Amino acid sequence: RTFVENRVQRIHGDYHALWINPSNSNHMFTGSDGGLHFSFDAGRTWIFTNNVALGQYYEIGLDMQKPYRICGGLQDNNSWCGPSMSLESRGISNDEWTTIGGGDGFYSQIDPEEPWIVYAESQDGNLLRRDLRTHESRSIRPREAEGEPRYRFQWNSPLVISRHDRKTLLYGGNFVFKSTDQGNSWKKISPDVTTNVDRDKLPIMGKLPDRTMLSRHDGVETYGQITTISESPLRPGILWVGTDDGNVQVSRDGGRTWENVVGNIPGVPKNTYVS
């Protein structure tokens, strides 16, 4: 009949689970994107369970140092870099890990020759370049020209550092974007490689979605964008992309022309998410 506001405070956000002890309702556990917390006073104060190694990495990258360093993006817990080994006798310590980006962390890539330059991506296409010597960062998300529709980016937008030129980046939205100056400027090197359909006109379990459908878009801001990019390690200019709405496109001339080859893959249902 009544609710108390702000009973769960100063923990994290995005709660997924709540357990209340049936024999003692002051005893509670909650699970969220920030881990596991428990309370003995019905939520007035909380204790963080900090001895359980929990984390969900989406993507990882590494550099060529010795020992090498690993960078990766965590579900709702930023992007981080840390060493693969340590001189600390007890092992790698928390203070050897550095936050390089915020938000939900996804792709993290490290310059192969200048390992103090790292790139970190968070949801919906937000991309930054950070200099670990000074910890300065710069947003390098591709921007629309005036009057141009907003680019569509996946929750987890793919980023590739070219094996043929470390200053060349490839980034996927609904277009393939290419930078030859470490993200300072971008050029579209593809048309819209998606099906470019209105997802509200796609039936779900035989019914077109409407405003009454629960979890209609499941928190995904847009639909119809690149989910994966691969570059040939042998021949510059051969590029492959896959999309969340079922396309597989290839360019053999550095993006001047593209061919949708999804029809060559047998037995795949239409609009399959390509990973």
Side-chain angles (χ1 to χ4, degrees):
R1 293 182 179 86
T2 61
F3 285 88
V4 177
E5 292 185 23
N6 299 324
R7 178 53 58 91
V8 180
Q9 300 184 66
R10 296 180 297 279
I11 297 178
H12 197 270
D14 294 353
Y15 297 103
H16 304 289
L18 175 66
W19 177 82
I20 303 174
N21 188 334
S23 61
N24 176 10
S25 61
N26 287 322
H27 183 205
M28 308 166 68
F29 273 91
T30 183
S32 75
D33 282 359
L36 182 67
H37 293 77
F38 63 94
S39 173
F40 290 107
D41 56 11
R44 293 174 182 84
T45 60
W46 292 89
I47 300 169
F48 177 39
T49 307
N50 201 22
N51 60 351
V52 182
L54 294 173
Q56 180 183 341
Y57 275 94
Y58 284 96
E59 312 288 348
I60 60 171
L62 51 86
D63 64 18
M64 304 304 293
Q65 296 185 91
K66 294 183 179 179
Y68 63 89
R69 190 177 55 210
I70 303 165
C71 295
L74 279 161
Q75 160 61 26
D76 210 5
N77 274 296
N78 307 326
S79 295
W80 298 78
C81 287
S84 58
M85 297 174 63
S86 175
L87 293 175
E88 171 58 57
S89 61
R90 293 171 294 179
I92 301 167
S93 60
N94 286 348
D95 61 4
E96 292 181 270
W97 281 82
T98 302
T99 307
I100 60 169
D104 292 80
F106 297 103
Y107 277 83
S108 295
Q109 300 285 4
I110 314 171
D111 189 293
E113 295 181 20
E114 297 181 334
W116 52 87
I117 299 296
V118 297
Y119 304 90
E121 184 248 335
S122 58
Q123 63 264 49
D124 304 323
N126 293 304
L127 181 64
L128 63 83
R129 183 184 69 232
R130 187 175 295 278
D131 188 328
L132 294 180
R133 296 171 300 183
T134 62
H135 223 60
E136 293 175 288
S137 70
R138 174 179 177 178
S139 171
I140 57 171
R141 182 190 188 276
R143 297 295 176 183
E144 303 80 1
E146 186 175 351
E148 189 178 14
R150 184 172 174 83
Y151 299 143
R152 300 191 304 272
F153 287 95
Q154 234 273 333
W155 185 252
N156 185 3
S157 301
L159 173 69
V160 171
I161 299 177
S162 173
R163 296 199 188 188
H164 308 288
D165 175 12
R166 67 179 180 84
K167 292 189 177 182
T168 294
L169 307 177
L170 300 168
Y171 195 42
N174 53 321
F175 304 93
V176 179
F177 299 95
K178 179 180 179 180
S179 173
T180 57
D181 54 11
Q182 297 181 303
N184 290 324
S185 61
W186 294 92
K187 179 182 178 182
K188 285 189 290 189
I189 61 168
S190 79
D192 189 325
V193 293
T194 73
T195 62
N196 197 24
V197 299
D198 181 353
R199 61 180 168 180
D200 287 333
K201 295 179 180 178
L202 297 175
I204 299 174
M205 300 176 66
K207 183 181 186 298
L208 286 177
D210 59 27
R211 62 183 182 84
T212 65
M213 179 175 282
L214 298 178
S215 194
R216 178 174 45 167
H217 296 146
D218 206 24
V220 179
E221 185 174 342
T222 58
Y223 177 72
Q225 49 254 327
I226 295 168
T227 46
T228 183
I229 297 177
S230 291
E231 176 197 47
S232 168
L234 301 178
R235 287 180 54 192
I238 298 182
L239 305 173
W240 291 78
V241 301
T243 69
D244 63 353
D245 56 4
N247 280 349
V248 178
Q249 304 260 18
V250 59
S251 175
R252 296 177 174 86
D253 54 14
R256 285 187 290 274
T257 60
W258 292 85
E259 180 184 5
N260 192 359
V261 295
V262 70
N264 298 341
I265 308 172
V268 178
K270 187 179 180 180
N271 302 126
T272 295
Y273 184 108
V274 182
S275 62

